[in-house]
Amino acid sequence: MKPVLILEHQLPENSAYLGTWLRTNDIDYVVYNADVHKTFPSSIDGYSALAIMGGGMSANDELHTSRQAEILILQAMMKDIPVIGHCLGGQLMSKALGGKITTSYRPEIGWQPIDYIDNELSKLWFGNDPTDTVIQWHYETFSIPQGATLLASSVNCENQAFSIGKHLAMQFHIE
């Protein structure tokens, strides 16, 4: 099986539990960190999935690696390769799909309550009894791109998660 491609945007950000889960399940993965490698791969070819992690920058910042991440997201989605985005990664997914990144009503930092939308897709992604408290660290939020389904919301950030096909974007961290 081809490895999962994980994009990290800065040190000391890392794949955290996602890396642990992949190792525990004997799934190979390759990590590119923008601070270390200065660039991301130019193609999704050779990878079985794409995970885009968080970071302290804005998806609106003119960073070469953010634009590369958007290209990889679109390549993966066109080839039906699963994509998951955490926080900044979710924002980059929205932006790549034509969504907007804007300032949140209020910043969300630390453990925060979350509400899951009562629909089949939300249950499919998060289960029938998901945790109602998640870790957050963001000042901005994403809009829901055309064709995507809203999966979660909160008082301070209306758009917390969306899915489109086999692809998932989250404003919060469950990794």
Side-chain angles (χ1 to χ4, degrees):
M1 183 167 149
K2 297 175 186 176
V4 172
L5 174 59
I6 299 176
L7 305 180
E8 299 172 349
H9 299 279
Q10 66 189 81
L11 292 172
E13 302 292 333
N14 62 57
S15 58
Y17 181 73
L18 176 61
T20 300
W21 186 88
L22 291 168
R23 282 189 303 277
T24 300
N25 288 279
D26 293 320
I27 299 171
D28 290 332
Y29 63 95
V30 175
V31 175
Y32 278 81
N33 185 293
D35 278 348
V36 175
H37 299 98
K38 307 300 183 204
T39 190
F40 291 149
S42 61
S43 173
I44 195 65
D45 292 342
Y47 299 101
S48 64
L50 174 62
I52 310 101
M53 307 311 290
M57 61 285 298
S58 169
N60 292 323
D61 290 345
E62 285 304 319
L63 300 172
H64 177 67
T65 50
S66 292
R67 303 301 75 86
Q68 286 182 300
E70 291 172 19
I71 291 167
L72 288 166
I73 290 163
L74 293 174
Q75 286 178 6
M77 292 180 76
M78 285 190 294
K79 293 181 179 200
D80 207 29
I81 295 171
V83 179
I84 188 169
H86 300 275
C87 198
L88 175 63
Q91 293 173 5
L92 288 169
M93 286 178 69
S94 174
K95 187 171 174 125
L97 295 169
K100 302 285 185 217
I101 310 307
T102 58
T103 302
S104 295
Y105 173 67
R106 283 198 181 112
E108 290 185 306
I109 299 173
W111 292 99
Q112 303 285 321
I114 192 167
D115 297 308
Y116 297 90
I117 306 304
D118 187 17
N119 63 37
E120 289 305 311
L121 283 175
S122 186
K123 291 175 186 169
L124 176 69
W125 283 105
F126 301 112
N128 289 322
D129 189 26
T131 180
D132 60 356
T133 305
V134 295
I135 193 73
Q136 305 264 18
W137 193 287
H138 61 94
Y139 299 89
E140 295 179 316
T141 186
F142 49 65
S143 65
I144 304 300
Q146 185 175 4
T149 301
L150 179 66
L151 303 178
S153 189
S154 72
V155 172
N156 293 320
C157 185
E158 180 181 354
N159 299 327
Q160 284 283 349
F162 70 83
S163 69
I164 185 166
K166 60 172 72 171
H167 317 290
L168 176 65
M170 297 170 289
Q171 187 63 62
F172 53 94
H173 296 265
I174 58 170
E175 73 275 15

